[in-house]
Amino acid sequence: MQLYNTLSKKVEPFVSLSETIDPQDKQVKMYACGPTVYDYTHIGHLRKYVMDDVLVRVLRHAGYDVKHVQNITDVGHLVSDDDEGEDKMEKGARKYGKTAWEVARTFEDYFWYSLDKMGVLRPTLSCRATEHIQSQLEMVLALEKQGFTYVIPDDGVYFDTAKLERYGELSGHDPRQAHRESRVGEITGKRNPSDFALWKFERAGENRQMVWPSPWHPRSFPGWHIECSAMSVEHLGEQLDIHTGGVDHIAVHHANEIAQSETATHKRPFAKFWVHHNFLRVDGEKMSKSLNNFYTIDDILKKGYQPAALRLLFLGSHYRSEQNFTFASLDAASTAWQKLAMMCVQLRHDRGEDDVLAESEQQNTVALAAQFEHDFFEAVENDLDTPTALAILWKMLKSDIASRQKYRLLLEFDRTLGLGLAGLQEADIAAFAPANQELDLLDLPKFLQDLFAAREAARARKDFATADQIRAQFQEAGYELIDRADGVVVQKKQ
Ligand code: AMP
Ligand code: ZN
């Protein structure tokens, strides 16, 4: 298994921390930055969590016992990355006329709903920042004790980045320099432009909804970065194998997580592998809540697309490349998904027929199937090369290996891709068909075409019992057979 590591800027062989001690001990501790739950989850987020999901599935297939922890940011993420401005939760509260607490739960629910639709496996553990106030406070106190912090009165407790030799190594440049060049309106009292808030104080007259007492201020709250450092230590220990997030987190959020964690625990590196996902764009712009150019999973469903089609679209581009979302590309993915689903159902139907294959044919088929299997997993284990893996999947389906082998491989590949093929019902195929219109037989799965022909034959010999039985089979598969004077018509069941 190989993964690109933002820390080294190289694709590296993946060896987990436990394996370096005992090669048989294949554990992975993975921490994924979760959503800030102040507004609807959009499909840009979904691309990130689908690819995290693929990573977990690939690691599990490779034999790792993966503990996947993902946080829910429900406090402390300010509108600006520079510790200024409103808390996003309070902003959401104003926008939706709810309390900050209601907003947090509403959009956390929507996040899970969206992920479930996309077939994303739930993390081993999900943790909310507001339920880990004590551990965050303790980490800030530990940093304070070591002399890495200072207090700006009426503002907050800050981390002094000048005290760290290696601050900012993740982004490969000195962010202190970048900050110096770009920043204008600094927070008065910051010693260095890149210093960041560990704990913030309520401003006079602010009347925040989410506040806690701390040694520095009676009404205060954690900064955004501290939650990930504190919760990852609490749930995974002082060092992680993999930490994931979007590329937007590299320069500030993750640089700050590293500063906090490595200072507090005296362990380096905080995370062995840093995996960063690139953006989903729409019309060339980053899809984001703040730009209001986003689609939710419900927008996609309302337009008649299936979530698996969107997932297939995501898998078609590499997670480290930007992807530009267009409905034309979703249409193409949808057509591919329908074809794949149809083939899957057909193969499930056909696989018994392989018994009649000659022994020599079977041997060829087994060798070729083994090659496809090898190539597929080589691709996904090569820094999650899902576009290549998909190409191998299609090649396998077009090959002349036995249906039984195809079906077996398809389901095995899908345990990594997560399109939900194993649970696909014959009736699910009917969902692709347009309602209230006569359907072309050729657009139905082949086993239904065969059944249709069998029914015609039964009717011709006046075997109405068989004809009725086949009608019932069509109904089960989601279709209606309508007997008309000029022949039988197939429609999608109402
Ligand atoms: P947020 O809720 O903004 O903290 O984002 C949660 C995660 O989704 C972060 O890892 C972001 O980097 C990622 N993310 C946000 N917008 C996009 C996008 N348009 N495409 C891909 N990932 C995104
Ligand atoms: Zn984080």
Side-chain angles (χ1 to χ4, degrees):
M1 171 109 189
Q2 304 197 94
L3 268 184
Y4 181 83
N5 188 354
T6 309
L7 208 50
S8 65
K9 283 158 210 65
K10 282 200 287 268
V11 177
E12 291 178 36
F14 179 77
V15 182
S16 76
L17 292 162
S18 66
E19 277 178 300
T20 53
I21 300 164
D22 172 3
Q24 304 303 316
D25 189 10
K26 296 184 67 146
Q27 291 182 45
V28 168
K29 294 174 178 185
M30 168 166 155
Y31 184 89
C33 282
T36 306
V37 285
Y38 74 110
D39 214 325
Y40 289 99
T41 297
H42 57 65
I43 60 172
H45 300 123
L46 295 183
R47 182 183 187 216
K48 190 260 174 190
Y49 295 104
V50 162
M51 295 316 292
D52 270 353
D53 186 48
V54 171
L55 174 57
V56 170
R57 288 167 181 264
V58 171
L59 288 164
R60 290 199 174 131
H61 179 270
Y64 289 101
D65 177 10
V66 184
K67 188 166 180 197
H68 172 203
V69 173
Q70 186 183 285
N71 66 307
I72 298 286
T73 300
D74 55 357
V75 68
H77 191 171
L78 303 189
V79 173
S80 138
D81 260 1
D82 294 306
D83 305 312
E84 296 168 303
E86 199 177 9
D87 189 317
K88 290 187 177 183
M89 301 312 305
E90 309 259 343
K91 183 179 173 185
R94 261 196 301 105
K95 178 170 171 188
Y96 290 101
K98 296 183 176 206
T99 68
W101 294 96
E102 285 165 349
V103 162
R105 295 303 171 260
T106 304
F107 293 114
E108 182 185 330
D109 288 349
Y110 195 77
F111 173 73
W112 294 121
Y113 158 81
S114 308
L115 260 56
D116 288 347
K117 286 265 179 247
M118 293 301 287
V120 173
L121 301 172
R122 293 283 178 114
T124 325
L125 192 134
S126 157
C127 42
R128 296 177 181 139
T130 52
E131 291 171 1
H132 292 73
I133 298 298
Q134 190 58 29
S135 36
Q136 295 174 74
L137 194 54
E138 279 165 18
M139 192 174 258
V140 179
L141 287 167
L143 296 171
E144 184 175 57
K145 209 166 156 199
Q146 292 184 53
F148 279 83
T149 69
Y150 59 94
V151 173
I152 303 181
D154 301 326
D155 187 310
V157 182
Y158 279 78
F159 189 103
D160 188 346
T161 52
K163 297 210 162 147
L164 272 191
E165 185 60 30
R166 300 172 194 270
Y167 180 78
E169 66 184 343
L170 191 64
S171 53
H173 66 278
D174 183 353
R176 285 172 288 206
Q177 200 55 41
H179 271 263
R180 228 167 261 133
E181 285 158 9
S182 67
R183 298 287 304 126
V184 191
E186 279 302 331
I187 287 182
T188 327
K190 264 198 194 185
R191 291 184 188 164
N192 310 285
S194 58
D195 291 356
F196 58 91
L198 295 161
W199 210 266
K200 290 283 283 184
F201 310 152
E202 183 184 66
R203 299 242 163 101
E206 196 183 5
N207 202 19
R208 281 179 58 94
Q209 297 177 38
M210 293 174 148
V211 282
W212 293 265
S214 70
W216 312 280
H217 199 283
R219 290 176 61 83
S220 56
F221 58 100
W224 172 35
H225 319 297
I226 196 73
E227 67 174 89
C228 291
S229 289
M231 294 195 283
S232 61
V233 170
E234 180 165 333
H235 297 297
L236 290 168
E238 294 181 332
Q239 286 180 297
L240 310 170
D241 291 294
I242 303 175
H243 193 313
T244 76
V247 285
D248 52 335
H249 287 169
I250 300 173
V252 178
H253 182 50
H254 289 166
N256 295 347
E257 278 189 39
I258 292 174
Q260 298 165 151
S261 297
E262 294 185 356
T263 307
T265 66
H266 305 287
K267 295 263 170 62
R268 263 176 54 79
F270 164 45
K272 195 171 178 194
F273 280 79
W274 284 89
V275 170
H276 287 106
H277 304 272
N278 216 323
F279 288 135
L280 186 69
R281 295 189 170 264
V282 53
D283 302 326
E285 292 229 62
K286 179 192 166 194
M287 185 176 289
S288 74
K289 293 170 196 166
S290 39
L291 292 175
N292 211 24
N293 63 353
F294 64 84
Y295 299 105
T296 64
I297 188 66
D298 282 324
D299 294 331
I300 300 298
L301 295 175
K302 267 186 235 137
K303 288 181 189 283
Y305 296 100
Q306 301 212 351
L310 183 60
R311 187 162 173 128
L312 194 59
L313 179 68
F314 291 160
L315 296 173
S317 83
H318 192 256
Y319 77 94
R320 282 199 285 125
S321 313
E322 279 184 355
Q323 186 171 24
N324 194 34
F325 176 82
T326 61
F327 280 100
S329 61
L330 185 55
D331 283 336
S334 223
T335 306
W337 164 242
Q338 292 182 24
K339 195 169 153 197
L340 187 61
M342 199 93 97
M343 281 172 117
C344 173
V345 168
Q346 186 62 44
L347 286 170
R348 190 186 298 159
H349 219 261
D350 288 349
R351 66 199 149 139
E353 291 168 19
D354 293 345
D355 294 338
V356 297
L357 274 186
E359 205 175 310
S360 59
E361 279 176 307
Q362 286 197 10
Q363 272 171 10
N364 283 341
T365 229
V366 168
L368 196 54
Q371 186 64 47
F372 286 130
E373 189 172 11
H374 168 270
D375 293 350
F376 179 90
F377 288 104
E378 187 175 65
V380 286
E381 289 184 8
N382 177 23
D383 195 28
L384 311 183
D385 187 354
T386 51
T388 300
L390 283 181
I392 293 161
L393 179 145
W394 287 114
K395 203 168 144 198
M396 181 277 287
L397 288 173
K398 284 192 199 118
S399 75
D400 52 9
I401 64 170
S403 300
R404 190 170 14 157
Q405 295 286 6
K406 283 187 187 172
Y407 187 67
R408 178 184 68 77
L409 286 177
L410 192 56
L411 292 201
E412 192 187 339
F413 294 176
D414 196 41
R415 277 198 287 278
T416 294
L417 301 175
L419 294 163
L421 290 172
L424 199 70
Q425 300 301 312
E426 294 179 355
D428 295 333
I429 304 296
F432 302 137
N436 302 321
Q437 72 182 58
E438 201 175 304
L439 301 177
D440 190 335
L441 258 191
L442 292 175
D443 289 337
L444 301 186
K446 188 171 159 296
F447 74 92
L448 286 178
Q449 296 176 30
D450 294 345
L451 272 178
F452 188 90
R455 185 171 183 271
E456 291 292 280
R459 272 161 37 102
R461 60 175 190 271
K462 304 221 176 319
D463 175 0
F464 297 115
T466 304
D468 285 347
Q469 202 189 339
I470 294 176
R471 178 200 296 283
Q473 281 177 277
F474 265 85
Q475 278 185 331
E476 224 169 277
Y479 300 93
E480 207 69 73
L481 290 181
I482 301 159
D483 294 319
R484 288 206 193 137
D486 57 345
V488 182
V489 166
V490 189
Q491 279 201 356
K492 183 169 159 176
K493 213 163 76 177
Q494 295 280 350

